[in-house]
Amino acid sequence: MKKLILLSLALTIVSIAWAQSPEELANEQLEAYNNRDIEAFLIPYSDTVKVYNSKQELLYVGKETMRSQYSAMFGRTPDLNCNLLNRIAVGNTVIEHEEVSFGSDRKIFAIVMYKVSNGKIQEVHFLDRAQ
């Protein structure tokens, strides 16, 4: 019994050590976004991720809805690119200032907050957006 408890404790410690930080999760989804790789993009997100607009209104819940939203955008914007201007990571929260280009003629600046728990992005808050 003692060996089983020690083995369980060791496995827990190893899994905690291998868990990605909130900043690493934010970076992973950003890289996949720029590659327009929907499967890689969704990995850092919780199955029940909640996405909010700048008025803090819930836009949608769930990775499958996110899949359809972003798959469509990736498909219709081959020149899509997000340039990270600044990132602040405090505890389980990551805030990014981003320049998103939809091609040579259109770009927006956005501030996005990611809230992480249990090793996944649980909430996305679009805080501000300007043309």
Side-chain angles (χ1 to χ4, degrees):
M1 184 66 164
K2 214 178 210 182
K3 288 182 181 181
L4 184 60
I5 292 171
L6 288 174
L7 178 61
S8 177
L9 180 61
L11 290 173
T12 301
I13 291 169
V14 167
S15 69
I16 290 170
W18 282 348
Q20 290 178 289
S21 71
E23 193 169 4
E24 289 169 328
L25 291 168
N27 197 57
E28 182 180 341
Q29 65 84 38
L30 176 63
E31 287 180 19
Y33 179 96
N34 282 335
N35 291 325
R36 289 169 305 288
D37 181 342
I38 191 62
E39 295 308 320
F41 175 74
L42 293 171
I43 290 171
Y45 291 97
S46 161
D47 289 340
T48 58
V49 62
K50 295 178 181 171
V51 179
Y52 297 87
N53 67 14
S54 62
K55 296 176 186 175
Q56 294 310 296
E57 300 166 332
L58 183 63
L59 295 174
Y60 60 86
V61 176
K63 194 185 277 191
E64 288 311 309
T65 303
M66 180 176 267
R67 176 189 307 279
S68 67
Q69 297 281 326
Y70 281 86
S71 289
M73 182 173 58
F74 291 169
R76 71 176 177 266
T77 21
D79 295 329
L80 180 67
N81 187 67
C82 181
N83 181 29
L84 182 62
L85 301 175
N86 196 10
R87 178 182 283 157
I88 300 169
V90 179
N92 288 333
T93 302
V94 177
I95 302 171
E96 295 184 343
H97 183 202
E98 304 169 344
E99 177 187 49
V100 182
S101 173
F102 297 89
S104 60
D105 62 337
R106 183 165 176 247
K107 71 172 78 170
I108 61 168
F109 294 88
I111 298 174
V112 184
M113 179 172 59
Y114 303 96
K115 292 189 175 188
V116 174
S117 67
N118 299 320
K120 294 287 185 181
I121 299 171
Q122 303 290 334
E123 295 181 12
V124 179
H125 297 260
F126 292 98
L127 302 178
D128 196 12
R129 184 174 143 176
Q131 301 288 346

